[in-house]
Amino acid sequence: MLSVSLPRLKERLLGLARFGALPGGGVTRPCWSPQHEAARAWLLGECKTAGLATWVDPAGNVFGALGADRLSTAAPTVLTGSHVDTVPEGGILDGALGVMAGLECLQAIREGTARPARPLAVAAWSDEEGRYGSLFGSRAFCGRLDAAAIPTMAAVDGERLVDAMSRAGFDAFRAPEAAAPRDSVAAYVELHIEQGARLEEAGIPIGVVESIVGVRRARVVFHGQADHAGTTPMERRRDAFLAAADYALKARELVVSRGGARAVTNVGVVQVHPGASNIVPGRAELVHEMRDPDPAVLERLARECDALARDVGRARDITVEVRPMSATTPAPCAPRVQAAIEAACASLGLAAQRLYSAAGHDAQNLAGVTDSGMIFIPSRGGRSHRVDEMSDWDAIERGANVLLHSLLRLAA
Ligand code: GLV
Ligand code: MN
Ligand code: MN
C-alpha cells in the first residue's frame, strides 16, 4: 500500500520551522513578513523539487499541482493544503503540517504507480491566522473577499494590508482576482493538528471533522478622558481602561451564560493610550473574539455584547465604539469527504472519531465552493498557539497517510 516518507516529511517540517524560528523554540511568521516571504520562496522550491507545477495567485496563495498546471473547470482538481503563516510565538505544526503533508502526499503519488483520474494540488493559503481579518487567502480564493474593505484593512499594529502586501511584492487590490474558476475544485481535504486534547484523552489517533466553528472579532474602543494620575480625584476620572476591563469581565460572563455549550470568548489584544503610568487612560481598545458553532447564536451574542459595551460605557461616562473586524461562517464538513477519510482510516486499520473543530480553518471557506473536510491528529497535551505545540512523529505519519489515501479516494 502506498505510504508517505516520514523522514522526508520531517525534514520539510523542520526546514519550514527555521523561518521565523524563536531562540526558545516555536516560531513567529506572520503573513507578508520577511520570514513568511522567505518561507514562501522556499516552499515553491520544495514543490518544484517534488516535481509539481507551481503558481502563486494574486492573494499570495501558493499552489503545487500534479496532473495540471492551473485550476480549470474542464478538469476539476482535488485540493489539499493549509497555511504557513503563524500566530506570534506559535508552534511549528499549526498550518505547516497540512501544507508539508499535502506536498509529501503529492510527491508520494507522483513517485508511485497509482494514476488518479483527477488532478491534485496542495495550497498554502495566505494569512490564515488573520493578521488582516480571518482566513484571507482562502476567502479570496472562494470569492468571499470584500474588495471595498481592502483599502482600510489594517493589522492590530496599524500596518495596512496594502503596505504589507506591497512590501511582499503583491498588489492588495488585485487579491479578489484569486477567486477560483467556477467548479474547478472537485473536493478539499485538509490535515491539521487538533489543537485541543479530545483525541489524546480518548486515545484515538484520527479525528474526522464534522463541522467548523464560526468566529467573530470586533474592536471595541472606549473613549474617556486623559488626566493627571496624581492630581485628579478618583471620583472625577473617566478611565477608559477600567471601562474596557469591566467590559472584558462582563462579556465573558455573557458569552458563557448566554451562548451554546460550546461558546467561547477571548480578549487577546488590549491597547491603552497614551500609555504612561502617570496618565489616566484616555482611550482603551480591545479586540473581542467569540466563537460558537451555531451562526444564529453567534449573531445574537454579538448583538448582546454590543449592548453590553454601551451599558458599561454609560455607567462610567465613557463613549464606546464597536467596530466589527471579521466574521467567519460556521461550516459543516461534507459527508462525502468524511466518508473518504473514514474509508482511508479503515484501510489503514486506524480508529477514527468524529468531532467538531473549535478552531477556524481555511476548510470552512472551501466548504462554500466544494465538498470540504478535515483530518485531525492529536496534539500533545492539547497545546497549540504556543511555542511548545507538538504532535508525536508517528501521529504525524499516520495523519499524512490518512490524507494520502483520502486524496486517492477523492481523486479516483
Ligand atoms: C485559527 O488558528 C483560529 O484562531 O482558530
Ligand atoms: Mn492557528
Ligand atoms: Mn491552523
Side-chain angles (χ1 to χ4, degrees):
M1 193 184 247
L2 189 62
S3 58
V4 300
S5 157
L6 179 63
R8 198 162 58 188
L9 174 55
K10 184 171 179 179
E11 193 180 327
R12 286 207 178 107
L13 279 166
L14 297 177
L16 177 58
R18 286 174 298 143
F19 299 97
L22 301 169
V27 50
T28 295
R29 196 169 55 232
C31 199
W32 318 116
S33 67
Q35 297 79 5
H36 183 275
E37 294 318 302
R40 183 204 300 286
W42 172 84
L43 171 61
L44 278 164
E46 291 298 306
C47 287
K48 285 182 185 132
T49 305
L52 306 182
T54 60
W55 68 92
V56 181
D57 75 16
N61 299 314
V62 174
F63 294 86
L66 189 62
D69 56 8
R70 65 195 168 87
L71 297 179
S72 89
T73 309
T77 293
V78 173
L79 259 185
T80 184
S82 199
H83 56 101
V84 298
D85 65 311
T86 74
V87 290
E89 300 182 20
I92 68 165
L93 293 180
D94 177 358
L97 173 64
V99 177
M100 295 299 116
L103 167 52
E104 172 56 33
C105 289
L106 267 53
Q107 185 166 6
I109 293 169
R110 195 182 71 83
E111 292 169 355
T113 53
R115 289 290 161 259
R118 294 193 182 283
L120 286 153
V122 56
W125 307 110
S126 289
D127 195 18
E128 190 271 354
E129 296 291 3
R131 193 167 146 73
Y132 297 95
S134 287
L135 315 173
F136 175 82
S138 58
R139 216 157 14 112
F141 182 82
C142 297
R144 293 178 166 194
L145 201 60
D146 176 7
I150 289 172
T152 54
M153 286 169 80
V156 287
D157 62 13
E159 188 178 34
R160 294 186 322 145
L161 174 69
V162 284
D163 298 330
M165 282 186 72
S166 145
R167 196 187 50 224
F170 292 90
D171 176 355
F173 293 103
R174 292 195 54 201
E177 293 170 24
R182 205 178 158 75
D183 298 329
S184 60
V185 184
Y188 178 74
V189 58
E190 173 171 350
L191 173 65
H192 207 282
I193 51 170
E194 183 200 340
Q195 308 183 274
R198 291 165 297 172
L199 290 173
E200 186 179 74
E201 284 170 8
I204 302 275
I206 299 293
V208 182
V209 179
E210 290 178 308
S211 64
I212 306 170
V213 75
V215 186
R216 291 182 79 112
R217 296 191 182 120
R219 179 176 286 274
V220 191
V221 186
F222 299 85
H223 299 274
Q225 177 62 59
D227 262 314
H228 194 293
T231 60
T232 312
M234 292 306 282
E235 69 280 6
R236 290 198 200 158
R237 299 181 186 206
R238 293 174 56 224
D239 185 324
F241 168 70
L242 289 183
D246 193 14
Y247 171 77
L249 289 168
K250 289 183 169 140
R252 181 188 192 281
E253 277 170 32
L254 187 154
V255 173
V256 170
S257 62
R258 305 261 312 142
R262 292 165 170 175
V264 291
T265 179
N266 187 50
V267 174
V269 177
V270 181
Q271 290 154 334
V272 177
H273 303 267
S277 59
N278 54 359
I279 306 175
V280 174
R283 189 171 92 244
E285 305 192 9
L286 53 80
V287 177
H288 182 205
E289 179 192 278
M290 59 184 117
R291 304 178 182 225
D292 194 287
D294 182 338
V297 172
L298 206 45
E299 188 66 40
R300 174 174 55 72
L301 289 175
R303 276 199 310 276
E304 292 178 356
C305 283
D306 281 15
L308 171 67
R310 288 175 218 295
D311 288 348
V312 164
R314 212 172 296 115
R316 293 175 175 271
D317 196 15
I318 300 283
T319 315
V320 182
E321 273 176 87
V322 180
R323 302 183 196 149
M325 294 170 69
S326 63
T328 59
T329 328
C333 293
R336 178 168 79 90
V337 178
Q338 294 179 56
I341 299 166
E342 283 170 343
C345 288
S347 71
L348 292 162
L350 294 170
Q353 173 180 310
R354 292 194 178 199
L355 75 188
Y356 99 106
S357 173
H361 295 287
D362 296 300
Q364 71 200 90
N365 278 331
L366 271 293
V369 299
T370 191
D371 285 344
S372 177
M374 295 191 75
I375 303 161
F376 278 178
I377 60 163
S379 291
R380 273 188 206 154
R383 293 186 289 273
S384 187
H385 281 191
R386 46 190 276 184
V387 295
D388 56 355
E389 161 191 287
M390 201 50 207
S391 295
D392 295 340
W393 288 106
D394 56 357
I396 288 173
E397 183 177 27
R398 280 193 288 268
N401 277 320
V402 172
L403 177 64
L404 173 65
H405 288 280
S406 304
L407 286 169
L408 286 171
R409 282 168 192 275
L410 292 166

